[in-house]
């Protein structure tokens, strides 16, 4: 059993056993390791066992922690580590040590060994073999933890029967509120066929109800269980039964017994089995979770078959409408404008349009109009001839020529300079282009798909986007909704991305923790699918656990939008709606009030609240700048 030794300034060292999944350390008497000294907080730190490692974590952010002289807030403990909390020195040991106040046996006045007479004294040295067995079991269990759960349970039970010297053992898991025997083994490491006939229901029921370990040295003579039908029928002698608890959840019980030997088990054996069960519970919980995640992954594959449109994932009503429109226009040659926020997957839609069109065997050529310098974009679009400008050492076709017979995707079309927009209108209208430096026109047979995250109608009003180009591109508009408006699609997409990139990167991550899925669902994702994808990639690289936690995706409590009271939410919606209507009316308060059916003073009130002061300007009919 691991221990923490405290070296007080006065008096001998004291040792504390670390036998719980979480052991608290601090000044307050309620701590598992109660220590005193300068700089020690009431609840300073805790040692958490995750099924494999012991991790020291801070509780009080004001409390200083040093591990081997280095400041830490969280660290994995190994045998021999020196820990300083405030000015108090501690040492961590993986092996058990006596918890008496001196390292040697205390002799009484009559010369007797008072430690032996003290009923609270425990022979930790005698448990060393058990601790080593526990450590060996942990190592073996971690190797098997990613496999099937039934062999894992058999391995666990074989180790327990061997450790306790019992004739047989059983592991029962709680399923739908009732204990079910998942595996039963004898001392020969063979499966017991009819396990239920060798287990006392009354003893198991008592442990499940109390959640406390139980030892019965002579069951037939025991006042609590001697008259139990199952005890009498089984002729039981020695029984130990301990709960399997993981983070407060009752998973089941471990049961070992013998109907041949009375008094086989002692209190120290029960203590060791309890510690064993605590460690096994955490690993078992992870194994059960992994098994559940594998089933979840299989389910995801089946769901994706129903909720996938080519490479596009979506099942919400707005995406179903997108898929319907896409299917109708894909077989035509008309121009399509895809709109939506950055990161919503506009290029995926464009590729799917190409894949479902008669031009599928032709090229799909993509160009980002906002990523190319203005002085080069014409040559990039239409090509150039040798000597057309400095650096043009050879003639080169443009994207229009490269897409001949296929599809040209103009991404971020709203970034295209005005002088290029004129030439693009001609190219779209006549399907003819001229290379830079060449007067000879070239015919091109292409379908044009454009995309933008801008509101092009606003660009037309400001004079930054040509109206004739807009109508040539926007024959059919496909609007992609932002991720925050797609409901549970975000969970399906997150799981699909995790599965894809975990395989590509060879990551040991197998899924999301339940709290992470809840955080993913609540977060507004301003960067949409691209932001989600990037955070999942980062988490796969940096995460050290099998399950991605909310903090691995930078989704702490402060990341999610708070749920507003209904009245405040209604007021916020009205404010945004009024301001949007005002913008569409070019700031005209009178027209906006008329459209909304309210008094113009209402519009003024929202403006005043937005700007914090009365806006300047003339009468109510004047535009507001």
């Amino acid at each position: 059993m691991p221990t923490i030794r405290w070296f007080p300034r006065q008096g001998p060292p004291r040792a504390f056993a670390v036998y719980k999944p979480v052991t608290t350390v601090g000044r307050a008497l309620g701590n598992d390791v109660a220590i005193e000294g300068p700089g020690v907080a009431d609840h300073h730190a805790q040692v958490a066992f995750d099924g494999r490692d012991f991790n020291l974590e801070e509780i009080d952010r004001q409390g200083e922690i040093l591990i081997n002289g280095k400041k830490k807030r969280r660290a994995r403990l190994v045998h021999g580590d020196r820990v300083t909390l405030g000015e108090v020195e501690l040492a961590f040991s993986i092996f058990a040590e006596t918890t008496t106040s001196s390292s040697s046996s205390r002799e009484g006045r009559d010369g007797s060994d008072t430690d032996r007479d003290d009923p609270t004294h425990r022979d930790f040295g005698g448990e060393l073999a058990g601790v080593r067995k526990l450590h060996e079991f942990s190592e073996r269990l971690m190797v098997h933890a990613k496999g099937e759960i039934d062999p894992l349970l058999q391995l666990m039970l074989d180790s327990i029967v061997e450790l306790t010297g019992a004739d047989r053992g059983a592991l029962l898991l709680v399923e739908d509120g009732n204990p079910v025997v998942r595996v039963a083994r004898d001392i020969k490491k063979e499966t017991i066929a009819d396990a239920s006939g060798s287990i006392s229901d009354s003893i198991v029921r008592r442990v499940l109800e109390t959640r406390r370990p139980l030892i019965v040295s002579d069951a037939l003579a025991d006042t609590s269980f001697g008259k139990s039908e199952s005890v009498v029928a089984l002729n039981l002698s020695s029984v130990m039964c301990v709960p399997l608890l993981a983070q407060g959840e009752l998973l089941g019980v471990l049961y070992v017994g013998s109907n041949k030997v009375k008094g086989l088990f002692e209190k120290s054996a029960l203590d060791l089995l309890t510690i064993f069960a605590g460690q096994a519970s955490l690993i078992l919980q992870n194994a059960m979770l992994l098994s559940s995640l594998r089933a979840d992954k299989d389910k995801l594959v089946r769901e994706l078959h129903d909720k996938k449109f080519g490479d596009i994932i979506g099942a919400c009503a707005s995406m179903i409408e997108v898929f319907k429109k896409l299917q109708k226009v894909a077989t035509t040659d008309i121009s399509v404008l895809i709109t939506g926020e950055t990161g919503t997957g506009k290029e995926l839609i464009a590729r799917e349009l190409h894949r479902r069109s008669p031009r599928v065997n032709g090229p799909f050529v993509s160009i980002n109009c906002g990523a190319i310098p203005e002085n080069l974009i014409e040559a990039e679009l239409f090509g150039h001839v040798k000597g057309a400008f400095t650096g043009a050492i050879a003639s080169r076709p443009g994207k229009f020529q490269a897409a001949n017979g296929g599809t040209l995707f103009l991404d971020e079309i709203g970034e295209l300079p005005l002088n290029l927009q004129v030439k693009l209108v001609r190219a779209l209208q006549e399907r003819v282009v001229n290379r830079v430096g060449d007067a000879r026109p070239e015919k091109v047979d292409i379908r044009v798909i454009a995309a933008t995250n801008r509101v092009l109608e606003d660009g037309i009003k400001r004079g930054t986007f040509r109206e004739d180009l807009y109508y040539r591109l926007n024959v059919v508009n496909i609007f992609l909704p932002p991720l925050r408006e797609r409901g549970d699609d975000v969970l399906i997409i997150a799981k699909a991305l995790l599965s894809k990139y975990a395989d590509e990167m060879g990551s040991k991550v197998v899924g999301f923790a339940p709290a992470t899925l809840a955080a993913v669902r609540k977060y507004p994702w301003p960067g949409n699918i691209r932001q989600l994808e990037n955070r999942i990639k980062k988490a796969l690289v940096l995460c050290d656990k099998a399950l991605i936690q909310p903090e691995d995706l930078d989704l702490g409590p402060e990341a999610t939008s708070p749920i507003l009271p209904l009245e405040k939410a209604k007021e916020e919606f009205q404010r945004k709606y009024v301001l949007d209507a005002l913008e569409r009316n070019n700031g005209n308060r009178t027209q906006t009030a008329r459209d909304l059916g309210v008094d113009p003073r209402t519009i003024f009130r929202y403006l005043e609240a937005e700007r914090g002061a009365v806006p300047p300007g003339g009468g109510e009919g004047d535009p507001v700048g």
Side-chain angles (χ1 to χ4, degrees):
M1 182 190 310
T3 55
I4 292 176
R5 296 187 71 199
W6 170 34
F7 302 90
R9 292 185 176 181
Q10 294 180 349
R14 294 181 59 188
F16 299 85
V18 179
Y19 62 93
K20 295 182 177 180
V22 176
T23 302
T24 58
V25 186
R27 179 189 295 272
L29 293 178
N31 288 289
D32 300 308
V33 179
I35 57 176
E36 297 178 354
V40 178
D42 287 345
H43 302 281
H44 202 115
Q46 65 183 24
V47 178
F49 179 69
D50 61 10
R52 181 176 182 178
D53 299 316
F54 291 89
N55 299 293
L56 181 69
E57 305 169 346
E58 70 171 11
I59 296 177
D60 191 328
R61 293 186 64 87
Q62 303 301 319
E64 186 178 73
I65 298 176
L66 300 179
I67 307 291
N68 300 322
K70 294 183 179 179
K71 282 190 176 182
K72 300 280 187 180
R73 292 194 178 277
R74 187 180 190 278
R76 182 172 69 90
L77 292 176
V78 298
H79 180 70
D81 273 348
R82 304 288 291 191
V83 180
T84 306
L85 303 185
E87 297 180 18
V88 171
E89 294 289 329
L90 305 172
F92 177 77
S93 173
I94 198 63
F95 300 113
E97 299 181 29
T98 178
T99 56
T100 55
S101 59
S102 64
S103 58
S104 60
S105 177
R106 296 167 296 161
E107 280 193 350
R109 292 183 181 178
D110 58 356
S112 63
D113 188 337
T114 58
D115 278 347
R116 285 189 191 141
D117 297 334
D118 183 356
T120 63
H121 173 67
R122 294 175 57 189
D123 181 13
F124 285 101
E127 294 179 11
L128 185 57
V131 173
R132 286 176 177 160
K133 190 72 180 176
L134 189 65
H135 181 69
E136 177 188 338
F137 164 76
S138 177
E139 293 296 318
R140 292 166 63 195
L141 209 53
M142 289 307 298
V143 173
H144 291 76
K146 294 184 180 180
E148 295 298 323
I149 194 167
D150 284 339
L152 182 69
L153 299 180
Q154 292 178 2
L155 173 66
M156 180 187 299
L157 200 54
D158 286 343
S159 298
I160 290 167
V161 171
E162 182 181 351
L163 180 66
T164 59
D167 291 334
R168 63 190 179 278
L171 191 149
L172 297 84
L173 295 181
V174 176
E175 298 178 3
D176 297 326
N178 298 311
V180 177
V181 178
R182 284 297 299 267
V183 61
R185 308 277 280 181
D186 60 22
I187 198 169
K188 298 178 182 179
K189 298 185 178 180
E190 296 176 347
T191 298
I192 300 174
D194 185 17
S196 58
S198 61
I199 297 171
S200 168
D201 295 336
S202 57
I203 292 176
V204 170
R205 189 163 52 249
R206 171 72 65 84
V207 172
L208 288 173
E209 290 173 353
T210 62
R211 296 193 173 197
R212 297 181 66 84
L214 181 65
I215 182 171
V216 183
S217 297
D218 187 353
L220 288 172
D222 190 274
T223 56
S224 299
F225 301 103
K227 295 182 180 180
S228 169
E229 291 182 10
S230 59
V231 170
V232 173
L234 295 171
N235 195 29
L236 290 175
S237 293
S238 297
V239 177
M240 283 195 301
C241 188
V242 298
L244 290 167
L245 294 165
Q247 298 172 343
E249 180 185 358
L250 181 63
L251 305 180
V253 298
L254 281 174
Y255 180 101
V256 292
S258 170
N259 53 8
K260 299 176 182 177
V261 182
K262 295 180 181 179
L264 174 64
F265 305 125
E266 296 179 353
K267 180 67 167 57
S268 59
L270 183 66
D271 290 342
L272 189 60
L273 183 60
T274 303
I275 299 167
F276 195 105
Q279 180 168 352
S281 296
L282 293 170
I283 299 175
L284 177 60
Q285 185 186 45
N286 287 339
M288 292 170 68
L289 187 55
L290 288 176
S291 179
S292 173
L293 287 169
R294 290 191 192 98
D296 191 42
K297 186 175 182 179
D298 294 338
K299 181 183 176 183
L300 175 64
V301 171
R302 294 192 298 270
E303 283 183 349
L304 286 177
H305 185 267
D306 299 329
K307 297 178 179 178
K308 223 177 174 187
F309 192 84
D311 291 330
I312 310 161
I313 299 169
C316 65
S318 55
M319 287 304 295
I320 296 298
E321 289 302 313
V322 168
F323 298 155
K324 287 179 181 178
K325 186 179 287 189
L326 190 154
Q327 207 158 15
K328 289 178 181 178
V329 302
T331 55
T332 70
D333 242 4
I334 60 177
S335 298
V336 177
L337 178 64
I338 306 168
T339 57
E341 294 179 7
T342 297
T344 49
K346 294 187 283 293
E347 185 166 348
L348 279 179
I349 295 290
R351 289 185 181 276
E352 195 61 27
L353 281 167
H354 173 73
R355 195 177 71 83
R356 293 173 181 264
S357 75
R359 296 176 176 270
V360 62
N361 295 321
F364 177 87
V365 178
S366 175
I367 180 171
N368 189 327
C369 300
I372 302 171
E374 186 174 339
N375 60 330
L376 297 179
I377 194 165
E378 182 179 2
E380 195 69 24
L381 282 172
F382 307 126
H384 61 80
V385 296
K386 181 179 179 180
F389 50 83
T390 303
I393 58 176
S395 296
R396 180 172 172 271
K399 298 295 184 182
F400 269 78
Q401 292 92 332
N404 193 41
T407 302
L408 177 63
F409 177 51
L410 301 172
D411 199 7
E412 303 298 347
I413 189 67
E415 308 294 332
L416 197 66
L418 270 172
N419 62 321
L420 260 296
Q421 293 179 28
V422 178
K423 297 183 179 181
L424 184 56
V425 168
R426 178 173 177 267
L428 294 177
Q429 182 174 333
E430 301 177 8
R431 292 297 193 265
V432 170
V433 296
N434 288 86
R435 298 193 190 199
V436 176
D438 191 359
R440 293 173 301 173
E442 293 182 59
K443 283 276 187 182
V444 288
D445 174 25
I446 60 171
R447 180 191 192 173
V448 174
I449 300 173
T452 182
N453 62 350
R454 291 191 175 191
V455 181
L456 295 183
E457 293 92 333
D458 292 345
I460 293 171
K461 291 177 182 178
R462 293 192 300 267
T464 59
F465 199 84
R466 292 182 61 91
E467 189 172 11
D468 52 355
L469 175 59
Y470 172 75
Y471 288 118
R472 279 181 174 82
L473 292 174
N474 192 31
V475 179
V476 173
N477 176 259
I478 295 179
F479 171 73
L480 288 183
L483 193 55
R484 61 183 172 275
E485 296 178 6
R486 290 178 56 180
D488 288 337
D489 277 5
V490 65
L491 301 180
I492 302 171
I493 293 170
K495 291 177 182 178
L497 291 172
L498 176 69
S499 178
K500 173 185 175 182
Y501 291 117
D503 291 341
E504 287 183 9
M505 298 178 180
S507 173
K508 66 178 182 180
V509 173
V510 296
F512 298 98
T516 309
L517 290 176
V520 167
R521 182 67 176 81
K522 290 180 181 178
Y523 188 63
W525 297 108
N528 294 294
I529 299 171
R530 186 179 295 120
Q531 182 188 15
L532 174 63
E533 182 179 30
N534 290 340
R535 290 204 186 180
I536 287 174
K537 285 181 180 179
K538 185 192 79 169
L540 287 171
V541 173
L542 300 179
C543 184
D544 295 324
K545 298 180 180 178
L547 299 177
I548 291 179
Q549 304 299 318
E551 55 269 22
D552 296 321
L553 295 177
D554 299 327
L555 296 180
E558 68 283 352
T560 55
S561 300
I563 298 176
L564 299 175
L566 186 58
E567 284 302 318
K568 191 170 182 180
K570 285 166 63 178
E571 178 69 21
E572 180 65 15
F573 171 78
Q574 289 175 347
R575 184 186 68 82
K576 289 182 179 178
Y577 193 77
V578 167
L579 294 175
D580 180 60
L582 189 66
E583 184 178 351
R584 291 171 63 179
N585 283 318
N586 199 27
N588 190 307
R589 297 197 299 272
T590 302
Q591 183 60 43
T592 301
R594 189 179 297 119
D595 290 344
L596 295 177
V598 298
D599 191 284
R601 286 173 295 184
T602 301
I603 309 300
F604 184 80
R605 179 172 62 84
Y606 278 106
L607 274 172
E608 189 177 36
E610 176 73 8
R611 301 185 179 186
V614 177
E620 288 186 344
D622 295 332
V624 178

